[in-house]
């Protein structure tokens, strides 16, 4: 009986020994997938911005992203190879769409690129901080810990650029027309101008501003996406201009 119990215990321990690395590998692989895709997007989008952006500050930021994220991508590739983890070779659908938006835009890409960088660095900081704290792979955890300060520096840089361009953090209202960005709102938002947001991106941006059930989106002759949405249980008209300002209560 004792022998049978010992064998059973050993079998259970063996199963756990093989099960744990599989679980750890899955979690590490998930981090590698997200970090690699984010890093590729940073470099690829920044190469486009460096070529097509008009603002010198935006161009300089794009070059720094190419340098810093290029180095981080190479380091991640090395670690992934050592840990026998697969590195994604292409972007996911969302990032491909954003890249196409920049690449195919006939208008200045400064505003779109800056907003994409704000979103990307917000996601990256959360991802790397989380893995730096609770990661299950020692080498990747150290990589995340060492990379977080650089990501936060980038985040501060892009927020300063956004402030200069008048695209500060959102604070929308559903009662009266107000821009969601900036302590000092743009004059009479929404602003007319060439709008490079796709319909899907416009819908996502409006939802990120706290609206739901976004519908009937159409871009008017002034380059402004207009539609209907719900906010705090109320239906309201909503608009998105080329700078990413979300305005409620418009006609």
């Amino acid at each position: 009986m004792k022998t049978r119990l010992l064998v059973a215990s050993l079998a259970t321990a063996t199963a756990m020994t093989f099960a744990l690395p599989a679980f750890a590998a899955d979690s590490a692989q998930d981090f590698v997938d997200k970090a690699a895709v984010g890093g590729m997007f940073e470099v690829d989008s920044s190469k486009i911005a460096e070529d097509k952006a008009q603002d010198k500050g935006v161009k300089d930021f794009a070059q720094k992203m190419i340098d810093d994220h290029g180095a981080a991508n190479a380091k991640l590739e090395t670690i992934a190879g050592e840990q026998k983890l697969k590195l994604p070779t292409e972007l996911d659908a969302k990032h491909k769409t954003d890249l196409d938006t920049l690449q195919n835009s006939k208008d200045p890409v400064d505003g779109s690129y800056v907003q994409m960088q704000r979103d990307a660095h917000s996601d990256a900081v959360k991802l790397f901080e989380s893995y730096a704290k609770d990661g299950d792979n020692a080498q990747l955890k150290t990589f995340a810990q060492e990379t977080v300060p650089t990501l936060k520096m980038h985040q501060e840089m892009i927020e300063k650029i956004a402030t200069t361009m008048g695209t500060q953090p959102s604070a929308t209202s559903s009662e009266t027309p107000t821009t969601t960005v900036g302590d000092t709102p743009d004059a009479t938002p929404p602003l007319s101008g060439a709008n490079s947001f796709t319909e899907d991106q416009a819908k996502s941006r409006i939802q990120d501003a706290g609206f739901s059930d976004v519908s009937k989106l159409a871009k008017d002759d002034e380059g402004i996406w207009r539609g209907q949405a719900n906010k705090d249980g109320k239906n309201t008209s909503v608009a998105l201009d080329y700078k990413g300002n979300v305005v409620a209560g418009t006609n």
Side-chain angles (χ1 to χ4, degrees):
M1 180 66 177
K2 289 182 179 180
T3 301
R4 195 178 309 169
L5 287 173
L6 177 61
V7 171
S9 297
L10 288 172
T12 301
T14 302
M16 289 178 66
T17 301
F18 285 101
L20 285 173
F23 174 80
D26 286 341
S27 182
Q29 183 65 64
D30 184 52
F31 172 75
V32 167
D33 288 342
K34 292 177 180 177
V37 167
M40 282 191 289
F41 175 75
E42 292 288 351
V43 173
D44 292 347
S45 63
S46 295
K47 286 180 179 179
I48 297 173
E50 188 184 35
D51 179 52
K52 300 181 70 173
Q54 295 184 338
D55 184 86
K56 185 179 184 302
V58 174
K59 284 180 173 289
D60 290 344
F61 177 83
Q63 181 57 62
K64 185 166 183 59
M65 295 306 98
I66 294 170
D67 294 340
D68 289 358
H69 283 280
N73 293 349
K75 190 171 183 179
L76 178 62
E77 182 177 4
T78 298
I79 296 173
E82 293 172 351
Q83 299 298 307
K84 309 301 181 186
L85 299 168
K86 293 182 179 179
L87 207 68
T89 57
E90 61 180 20
L91 298 175
D92 56 16
K94 179 186 182 303
H95 286 99
K96 282 182 180 179
T97 298
D98 287 344
L99 209 63
D100 288 343
T101 297
L102 293 177
Q103 187 66 64
N104 299 326
S105 176
K106 297 180 181 179
D107 303 302
V109 301
D110 301 59
S112 297
Y113 171 73
V114 167
Q115 185 57 49
M116 289 177 188
Q117 287 296 318
R118 294 175 75 195
D119 293 341
H121 278 88
S122 176
D123 291 342
V125 168
K126 292 175 184 176
L127 172 67
F128 276 70
E129 281 188 330
S130 175
Y131 200 84
K133 180 182 177 182
D134 301 318
D136 54 353
N137 180 290
Q139 278 191 271
L140 287 174
K141 188 172 181 178
T142 298
F143 168 70
Q145 291 169 340
E146 292 175 346
T147 307
V148 165
T150 301
L151 292 174
K152 286 188 172 181
M153 177 186 68
H154 293 166
Q155 192 174 36
E156 291 178 4
M157 290 174 65
I158 198 61
E159 289 300 332
K160 287 180 180 179
I161 292 173
T163 298
T164 302
M165 296 178 66
T167 53
Q168 298 175 7
S170 64
T172 191
S173 167
S174 62
E175 299 300 325
T176 57
T178 56
T179 177
T180 66
V181 293
D183 296 324
T184 304
D186 293 305
T188 62
L191 303 174
S192 300
N195 196 323
S196 61
F197 288 103
T198 65
E199 182 176 351
D200 286 342
Q201 289 172 333
K203 182 176 181 180
S204 177
R205 178 100 172 132
I206 293 169
Q207 289 173 333
D208 288 344
F211 293 86
S212 62
D213 299 326
V214 182
S215 63
K216 300 180 181 178
L217 276 179
K219 187 158 58 175
D220 65 18
D221 295 338
E222 296 180 334
I224 299 170
W225 283 101
R226 297 183 184 276
Q228 296 291 315
N230 285 326
K231 177 74 171 180
D232 299 326
K234 299 178 182 178
N235 185 265
T236 182
S237 55
V238 66
L240 172 77
D241 66 21
Y242 76 102
K243 280 193 172 184
N245 297 322
V246 179
V247 183
T250 61
N251 293 322

